[in-house]
Amino acid sequence: MTSTSTSTAGSAPSGTPAGPPGAGLPTDDTDPFSHEVLENPIPFHTALRDAGPVVHLTRHDVYAFARYEQVHAALVDWQGFQSAAGVGLSNFRYEKPWRPPSLLLEADPPRHDAPRRVLSAVLGPRALRRLRAGWLADAEALLDEVLAGGDEFDAVPSLAEAFPLRVFPDAVGIGKHGRENLLPYGDFLFNAFGPHNDLVAAAAPRAGELASWVNDRCGRDALSDDGFGARIWAAADRGEITHEQAPLVVRSLLSAGVDTTVHALSAVLYAIATAPQEWERLRAQPSLARVAFDEAVRWESPVQTFFRTATTDVRVAGHVIPEGTKILMFLGSANRDPRRWTDPDVFDLSRDPSGHVGFGMGLHQCVGQHVARLEAEALLTALASRVRTIELAGPTVRHHNNTLRAWESMPLRVRR
Ligand code: OVM
């Protein structure tokens, strides 16, 4: 951390109060997207929460909500905190987006609503019933392949990446060619919600090529007849969305459906590898798989942050946030706010994690969460039926991304 960012080292940020607007507001000069914070954001989150309900982040001149109460309130107040100006640092009122904005993530009602309704139906629990048995069998087959290679493996490529890549692109209905582009595309996209730092610069040369590949997968002719993609196009034929909107809705699946799930699966694997008594409980009661996944999403928050933009001079806890400014919502911090959660740093299968904001909250709340839960349930169920103990077999390595709390490597050792 740089010498000016001393505020995270101790207790609360102690920057000088900003001049008006925002007089008396606590400030923090830490860069939330620095490698030090990305490696371990928890001390920074604690400092931000303790500094107050609203903090001015001077590095990027944005406001921060790090407590559960304000994050939750902003997420459900889509009128006051809009998404259509972008949910990254870039303000679409003044800056051209790097790709055409998402019809879901980067839109407000009323434009947001028809695409959302279509995707909710395509990805809802009813629609997933036909996938369940196949995904459970796929998870068992994958585990048998991995375990045939020995009792030590890197869980990130072998399970957390391999399983979603095995089931999700087929479920969408894209062809086999070029699927290795999916993770790098997502990695770039989630980096691009942050500032133009080294992470963005390093991946930028490939961004155009990756985006073209993804866009080319979204047309009707590129998709199988029976996948999520075809169902989106069928909704366009029924007039529920336009034929111009259909490919962008397919793009949302390919954008939001891979890296997020990979790192959420990594999170739950890390959680059970480091909490053996919780793994024991899960093995004794495999129906806890879904609770385990949601608790891991609370605990690790694979999507750490999103921005909103104030649509008016909005009063929060006695401070005025000026119209048009960006607010950074720390989902991962809200999910570990001791004002909301008992022993928030403990991964605990006996807690009720519902109400966590790891999938967001309100009308933008993750539309793919049932898909992610089904993937997790399949993988954890297969693991529980094959493996007695799971432990770390070596040092884990984080993958830094401006939005995702991610892993590069997670060596595991299992006993059968
Ligand atoms: C989208 C999209 C992209 C990234 C994330 C996301 C977490 C949605 O293109 O709609 O939601």
Side-chain angles (χ1 to χ4, degrees), residues 100-103 111 115 215 218-220 232-233 235-237 239-252:
S102 165
L103 300 181
R111 292 184 59 231
N215 293 340
C218 298
R220 166 174 261 155
I232 291 166
W233 278 98
D237 292 342
E240 297 169 15
I241 52 173
T242 69
H243 286 99
E244 288 68 43
Q245 290 176 312
L248 274 174
V249 177
V250 178
R251 194 193 67 178
S252 283

Side-chain angles (χ1 to χ4, degrees), residues 99 102 104-105 189-190 193 251-252 255-256 260 306:
R99 60 171 200 167
S102 165
L104 291 116
L105 182 73
L189 168 68
F190 283 97
F193 294 121
R251 194 193 67 178
S252 283
S255 300
T260 49
F306 269 131

